Amino acid sequence: MSRRRRRFPPQEHPAPDLPAAMEIAARYLGARPRSRWELEGRLRRSGISDEVREAAIERLVELGYVDDESFARWWAEQRDRHAPRGRRLVEAELRQRGVQRDVVEELRDMERPTPPNEDEVLPRTELERARTAIARHLRGRPLPDEPRALQRLGAFLIRRGFDPETVRAALRSADDWR
């Protein structure tokens, strides 16, 4: 004999008000910084009305919890620290997260700050990022000598958002590593 699940009629929940929206936003921002667009999407999925959503986001902007410029700087720094990517890919990732084009262009022109930790050295130029990406990819193995392996390494860097000139320069300077 098969058992059937009883279906209960969907319950109607009232739309969240401003304090509930702020609570949802605070929990969402607790994990990591978010762009304004990401936060809007999260609040929209929670069923919050447009007026309440805008009021909550404006209040969070006033308090400094939502700022696309600081989010873009944080994102680029995290990429440099954990998974070096080329400028083009970092900019594409920021655009996917709803960061405005002018903020992305401002980040491109800005000099990246030195991290507060004295022991940690983050790559500052595109060539340094490419060399760091190669070193992490190889994980201590020696740089290959055969041309096909170098081509694959170049393709790896291209997929990571580095432009062809930087890839060629990184592979040429890789001879110094041997």
Side-chain angles (χ1 to χ4, degrees), residues 36 39 55-68:
R36 181 184 182 114
L39 184 60
I57 290 174
E58 289 305 319
R59 180 68 179 139
L60 290 167
V61 167
E62 287 173 17
L63 293 172
Y65 289 115
V66 178
D67 179 15
D68 280 354

Side-chain angles (χ1 to χ4, degrees), residues 12-47:
E12 293 294 322
H13 296 288
D17 56 352
L18 185 59
M22 293 293 284
E23 178 68 26
I24 291 167
R27 287 177 187 265
Y28 191 58
L29 292 169
R32 67 168 175 84
R34 309 282 181 167
S35 69
R36 181 184 182 114
W37 180 82
E38 288 176 311
L39 184 60
E40 283 178 7
R42 174 65 182 94
L43 294 176
R44 188 176 296 114
R45 286 189 307 274
S46 295

